[in-house]
C-alpha cells in the first residue's frame, strides 16, 4: 500500500477539492472497501486507495468532466458520453493516473466502474462498487438489506446491487450503459 505520507497527500487533495460530506463519504467507502477486501480475499491496500479516490472527480464542473471524458483512452460507450452523472468515474480514473501516477489496472478499473459496473468485473471493482453502495453514510431505504448481502456473498451482493441500480434507472427514465447490462447478465447467469 501507499505509505502514510502518500495517503496523506491523497487525503489533502480530496479535502481541498471535495465538500466535507463527499470527503467523509470517500473515507467511509475506503473503510468499507477494506472490510470487504478482507472478507473476500482481495488486496485491502488497493481497496483502500480505490475506495478513497473513487469520487475524486465528483465535484468537478460538468464542462471540465466532459473534456476529460472526451480525451479518455478508457473504453467509454456512447450512453456514458451523454450522461453527465456518469462522467466522474471515467474522469476519476484518468485523474488518479495524471495527478498521483497511479497506473495499477485494478485500481483504475475500480474507480472507472464504481458507478456503472462492467462485464467480467474484477473482484476489486466489485468491492469498490459495493462499498460505495453500503458505506456508513448511506441511508437509502434498502441499505441494510444491501449490507447483509455484502456480508453473505460478493456475487449475491453484486447481483442484488445491479438489480437495484437498473430498477432505479428505469424508474427514473435514465439510460443504462452497456457495461451495466453486461455486469447484470454475468451475475444473473452466476446466480442460477
Amino acid at each position: 500500500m501507499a505509505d502514510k505520507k502518500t495517503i496523506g497527500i491523497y487525503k489533502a487533495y480530496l479535502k481541498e477539492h471535495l465538500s466535507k460530506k463527499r470527503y467523509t463519504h470517500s473515507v467511509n467507502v475506503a473503510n468499507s472497501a477494506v472490510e470487504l477486501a478482507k472478507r473476500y480475499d482481495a488486496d485491502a491496500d488497493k481497496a483502500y486507495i480505490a475506495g478513497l479516490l473513487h469520487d475524486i472527480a465528483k465535484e468537478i464542473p460538468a464542462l471540465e468532466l466532459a473534456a476529460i471524458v472526451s480525451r479518455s483512452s478508457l473504453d467509454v460507450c456512447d450512453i456514458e458520453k451523454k450522461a453527465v452523472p456518469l462522467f466522474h468515474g471515467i474522469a476519476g480514473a484518468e485523474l488518479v493516473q495524471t495527478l498521483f501516477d497511479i497506473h495499477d489496472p485494478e485500481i483504475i478499473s475500480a474507480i472507472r466502474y464504481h458507478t456503472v459496473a462492467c462485464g467480467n468485473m474484477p473482484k476489486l471493482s466489485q468491492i469498490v462498487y459495493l462499498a460505495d453502495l453500503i458505506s456508513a453514510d448511506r441511508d437509502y431505504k434498502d441499505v441494510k438489506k444491501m449490507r447483509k448481502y455484502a456480508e453473505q456473498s460478493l456475487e449475491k451482493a453484486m447481483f442484488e446491487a445491479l438489480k437495484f441500480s437498473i430498477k432505479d434507472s428505469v424508474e427514473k427514465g435514465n439510460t443504462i450503459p452497456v457495461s451495466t447490462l453486461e455486469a447484470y447478465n454475468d451475475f444473473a447467469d452466476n446466480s442460477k
Side-chain angles (χ1 to χ4, degrees):
M1 176 168 146
D3 55 51
K4 286 184 179 183
K5 181 180 178 186
T6 303
I7 294 297
I9 291 168
Y10 299 163
K11 286 183 172 182
Y13 181 90
L14 294 176
K15 281 182 182 176
E16 186 177 329
H17 292 89
L18 297 177
S19 65
K20 185 175 181 176
K21 181 179 178 180
R22 181 67 48 193
Y23 174 78
T24 299
H25 170 70
S26 296
V27 171
N28 286 337
V29 170
N31 292 334
S32 291
V34 167
E35 288 176 30
L36 291 171
K38 288 177 179 175
R39 178 178 296 273
Y40 296 112
D41 196 29
D43 188 313
D45 294 337
K46 289 182 183 183
Y48 186 84
I49 292 168
L52 184 66
L53 298 176
H54 82 287
D55 270 352
I56 190 170
K58 185 74 173 182
E59 295 178 354
I60 293 174
L63 286 176
E64 276 183 62
L65 287 176
I68 295 168
V69 169
S70 70
R71 293 189 309 266
S72 177
S73 62
L74 300 169
D75 185 21
V76 182
C77 75
D78 289 340
I79 290 169
E80 289 176 291
K81 290 176 184 174
K82 297 174 188 169
V84 175
L86 304 180
F87 288 178
H88 76 282
I90 302 155
E94 293 289 353
L95 282 177
V96 298
Q97 293 177 74
T98 56
L99 289 173
F100 302 128
D101 201 28
I102 295 173
H103 299 285
D104 183 296
E106 288 181 286
I107 293 173
I108 301 305
S109 175
I111 294 169
R112 160 68 179 97
Y113 291 109
H114 82 270
T115 302
V116 297
C118 64
N120 298 311
M121 197 167 183
K123 188 186 285 187
L124 185 66
S125 296
Q126 294 175 45
I127 285 168
V128 174
Y129 184 93
L130 290 172
D132 188 23
L133 198 63
I134 65 167
S135 66
D137 54 296
R138 296 293 194 191
D139 62 359
Y140 59 91
K141 183 173 141 312
D142 289 326
V143 72
K144 287 181 182 176
K145 191 187 302 184
M146 289 297 171
R147 288 179 181 139
K148 275 195 178 185
Y149 291 138
E151 288 176 12
Q152 296 166 355
S153 159
L154 189 58
E155 292 78 18
K156 171 77 170 163
M158 281 301 301
F159 181 56
E160 294 299 330
L162 287 160
K163 285 193 323 189
F164 173 83
S165 174
I166 290 170
K167 180 180 179 219
D168 184 60
S169 292
V170 169
E171 287 174 353
K172 292 177 180 173
N174 293 339
T175 55
I176 300 171
V178 173
S179 66
T180 306
L181 297 174
E182 289 172 345
Y184 173 80
N185 289 335
D186 282 352
F187 289 101
D189 283 346
N190 292 333
S191 73
K192 293 177 182 172

